[in-house]
Each structure stands twice: as structure tokens, then as C-alpha cells.
Amino acid sequence: MCGRATLLSSQATLEKRFNARFASKIPLVENVNISAGDLIPVVTSSNPHHIQMFTLGFTPHWAHKQTYMLNARAEGSNNKENNSQYDGALGIFQKPMFRKAIKSQRCLVLVDGFIEGPKHQKLNRPYFIYPNQNQGPFALAGIYDIWQHPLTGQLHHTVAIVTTAANRITKRIEHHRAPLVLTKKQEELWLDTDLDAKQLSSIMKPFDPKGFNAYPISQKIKNPKSNGLDLLKPIGDKLFMDFNRSPYEKLKYKEEHSYSIREERLVEGDQFVLF
């Protein structure tokens, strides 16, 4: 599964990267610890030129109550061994909860990273996984549906992240699954509702870990109410050696650098200047 997601990018950055405009009046808020029930930006197959805010946690339109399903297994009930080389049928096309959405209600889930832990320890030993090259927002494959509350009539736009068997990174973390990270070329295909099951199946494979890295962070992330950039502070070494700054290091540097410049501007001669 994909435990938690992280969004650090600004609205302008997301709009430029995904060539889409924000359609919602709901303000975009930096969220290090996006959990079930939180809003997350998406681009849907039905509206590919707009970014919308959906609830993380899928509820099918026919459900009697909200279900908050975070993940949708590409293999469905198949591949119980979570074999990364699995090449058989993908059960998501037959699973009642997801079979309609996977065919016609696909979306890009926009993130800057995600958080995962070992299969058994889960978020008691979390890792932050992020692109260490070309850092910035990227897309996870998602499916969505619109559920209407039976009593209030309120519409809830909900999304689940599609998962596959583990790749090199999540295997090193000792986790058996991985979210489906899309390449830029795959993003376009994922939103194309004319794709057949065979073409979609060719996309739903463990993502290429090249250009990604991970490092351990505090288990404080386990509390869905916890937030703030310091949750992404490394508490150990990266999984793979590289010389790139992590998103945490980059943002902390910007914060400190901006603050030091502001401090200098607060004083002119011996006089404090009020802004």
C-alpha cells in the first residue's frame, strides 16, 4: 500500500508541470502528511486541463457509506505472493469496487513524495520516498468515483492510488507493494479513456526506481494530525548514495536563507526598519 503522501509544491508549480489550471476554489495547502480523508490534487480523465481537489480514500458510487479505500491493487486477488515479475491477469478489471473506475475514471494524483514503511512495522519505521533527480511534483496513478451521501445529498469526489508489487526501493524498505508512479509519457496514456485493458495492463507494472531515493524519518508521521516540514527531516542515511539535496534540505535552506536576508534588511545603520 501507499501509506501517506506529501505535497510541497505551489499551485503555480503544479499548473506549469501538469499543464492544467486549478478548477477548485479550495485553497491548496502544503501538506507533508496527507492521510485518509484529506484533500489531494488530481487531474481526471474527464477533465484533463483542470486540477481538482479530491478526498483521498475511494468510495464507489453505489456504496451505502463512505469507505476510504486508500489503495487499489492492480492484480486484485491475483499475485498473492506479490511477485515483482508477475505478468498474469490483473484482477482490478473484475473487482466490483474498482472495475468501472479503472476503465473510465482514471486520474493523476499529484504529489512530491510518499511515505512507506516495512510490511510488518509499517509507519513505526517510516521512509520518505522522493525523486532525487529532477525534483518536483510527479503523478501517481489513481482511480476516482463520485459518491453521494444518502441523507444529505452531498457529493464526495474520492480517489484511490493504484498499487503494484514492490520495486527496488520498496523492497529495500522491506515493503511488499509500491504505488504506481507514472512517467510523463504514461501520464497521457493513463488519462486516455480509449485505452483497452491490454494497454492499461502494460502500464500497471512496478515503477522504475531510477531517479528516486528514500531515507528514514520520524515515526511522528504515523499520527495523521501531525504535520510540518520537520516531519521529513532525515534520521538516518539514504537508501542509495547520491549527492543531491533532499526536498527537506532544499526547503530548509530556502527558509533559512530567506530569513537571513530578511534579518539583514531589518537594520539600516543603527535603526530598525519596520515593514
Side-chain angles (χ1 to χ4, degrees):
M1 65 173 289
C2 178
R4 303 286 168 84
T6 294
L7 182 67
L8 303 168
S9 293
S10 67
Q11 177 174 321
T13 299
L14 291 177
E15 290 182 333
K16 183 178 180 181
R17 164 64 177 81
F18 294 98
N19 191 29
R21 304 291 291 179
F22 267 82
S24 173
K25 293 181 180 179
I26 301 171
L28 181 71
V29 178
E30 179 183 288
N31 192 343
V32 165
N33 192 13
I34 302 174
S35 312
D38 289 342
L39 294 177
I40 194 165
V42 304
V43 174
T44 68
S45 52
S46 63
N47 205 348
H49 298 299
H50 287 95
I51 300 173
Q52 303 176 67
M53 300 299 289
F54 282 11
T55 299
L56 181 59
F58 184 90
T59 304
H61 65 278
W62 43 261
H64 298 296
K65 62 180 181 179
Q66 258 186 305
T67 53
Y68 296 108
M69 293 291 291
L70 291 179
N71 301 134
R73 281 179 60 102
E75 309 98 306
S77 300
N78 303 330
N79 191 25
K80 293 179 180 178
E81 301 80 15
N82 294 300
N83 179 1
S84 297
Q85 304 303 315
Y86 178 79
D87 200 31
L90 298 185
I92 192 170
F93 293 108
Q94 284 76 46
K95 195 171 181 65
M97 182 169 282
F98 303 132
R99 64 189 177 194
K100 180 178 182 290
I102 191 60
K103 292 174 184 175
S104 60
Q105 295 166 191
R106 298 188 296 276
C107 63
L108 310 180
V109 181
L110 316 185
V111 300
D112 285 286
F114 59 94
I115 295 147
E116 198 57 272
K119 180 179 179 180
H120 299 295
Q121 292 170 293
K122 299 182 181 179
L123 294 182
N124 289 314
R125 190 156 68 88
Y127 283 77
F128 178 55
I129 302 170
Y130 64 97
N132 67 326
Q133 298 173 11
N134 304 315
Q135 284 184 16
F138 59 94
L140 303 177
I143 55 174
Y144 69 94
D145 208 344
I146 302 171
W147 177 75
Q148 185 172 27
H149 195 288
L151 297 179
T152 66
Q154 184 178 0
L155 297 178
H156 295 262
H157 295 72
T158 68
V159 61
I161 295 166
V162 176
T163 67
T164 69
N167 67 355
R168 184 183 175 210
I169 286 184
T170 55
K171 279 182 181 176
R172 282 285 292 270
I173 294 172
E174 300 174 20
H175 196 76
H176 58 303
R177 304 292 296 171
L180 176 53
V181 176
L182 299 170
T183 65
K184 289 186 178 181
K185 183 178 179 180
Q186 288 173 335
E187 290 170 12
E188 230 176 286
L189 294 172
W190 190 254
L191 295 181
D192 184 353
T193 53
D194 290 330
L195 253 62
D196 59 28
K198 184 177 180 181
Q199 292 169 307
L200 280 173
S201 296
S202 69
I203 296 174
M204 289 188 277
K205 306 290 183 184
F207 77 90
D208 185 353
K210 184 178 179 181
F212 281 77
N213 210 338
Y215 58 78
I217 58 174
S218 168
Q219 63 175 244
K220 290 178 182 177
I221 200 84
K222 184 177 178 181
N223 183 350
K225 294 182 180 179
S226 296
N227 222 305
L229 184 59
D230 282 345
L231 288 178
L232 298 185
K233 185 177 182 179
I235 61 169
D237 295 332
K238 296 177 181 178
L239 289 185
F240 309 106
M241 182 180 292
D242 69 53
F243 298 100
N244 298 308
R245 284 180 178 164
S246 69
Y248 170 81
E249 292 166 326
K250 281 191 170 184
L251 287 171
K252 286 301 283 187
Y253 175 81
K254 282 183 181 179
E255 280 184 4
E256 292 165 1
H257 190 62
S258 298
Y259 185 68
S260 65
I261 290 175
R262 186 173 182 278
E263 275 186 318
E264 289 174 9
R265 289 175 179 169
L266 283 173
V267 179
E268 284 189 4
D270 295 323
Q271 300 296 316
F272 282 96
V273 178
L274 299 178
F275 293 6

